Amino acid sequence: MAKKYYIANRKQNNFITHQDKSNGLDIQGFPGDVYVVEDNSAGTTWATRVGATEKTKSECQTLVNSKMTEIQTTYDSMDSTYTDYPHERPTSITLP
């Protein structure tokens, strides 16, 4: 099924509810407040309710890449107390 890509502020009440999931919402969250949902009524209803802004896959991939670079830079600046096993360096993410 086709996907839709959104930017949304997850720091709000009832961001993803049990009712959303009961209605068939299939959602994946990524760094940079990027969310991917199925292109169906459950996804559209959720996006409208939370005030999500639809973006292209390319726009969202750029946001994810930027956030991952920031996360990797932070990780690289940490001392070995944190970066030693079991903490591995964050890797890049490709959106579905």
Side-chain angles (χ1 to χ4, degrees):
M1 178 174 266
K3 308 277 188 196
K4 283 192 170 185
Y5 299 84
Y6 292 97
I7 306 302
N9 178 5
R10 70 180 181 276
K11 296 174 185 166
Q12 56 183 300
N13 290 331
N14 300 315
F15 185 65
I16 300 171
T17 65
H18 176 73
Q19 187 63 47
D20 292 328
K21 299 300 265 180
S22 294
N23 290 342
L25 179 66
D26 182 15
I27 187 168
Q28 295 175 285
F30 296 92
D33 289 336
V34 171
Y35 294 89
V36 180
V37 299
E38 297 290 335
D39 185 4
N40 59 25
S41 63
T44 302
T45 299
W46 169 82
T48 301
R49 185 175 56 74
V50 300
T53 302
E54 187 172 359
K55 300 285 186 181
T56 66
K57 180 179 180 179
S58 177
E59 290 171 320
C60 285
Q61 186 66 61
T62 299
L63 289 168
V64 170
N65 292 348
S66 176
K67 188 63 175 179
M68 288 308 298
T69 298
E70 180 184 318
I71 291 167
Q72 290 168 338
T73 299
T74 299
Y75 178 90
D76 292 343
S77 70
M78 294 177 167
D79 67 32
S80 63
T81 302
Y82 181 81
T83 59
D84 286 344
Y85 181 82
H87 302 107
E88 295 180 11
R89 186 176 193 268
T91 59
S92 61
I93 296 172
T94 301
L95 294 176

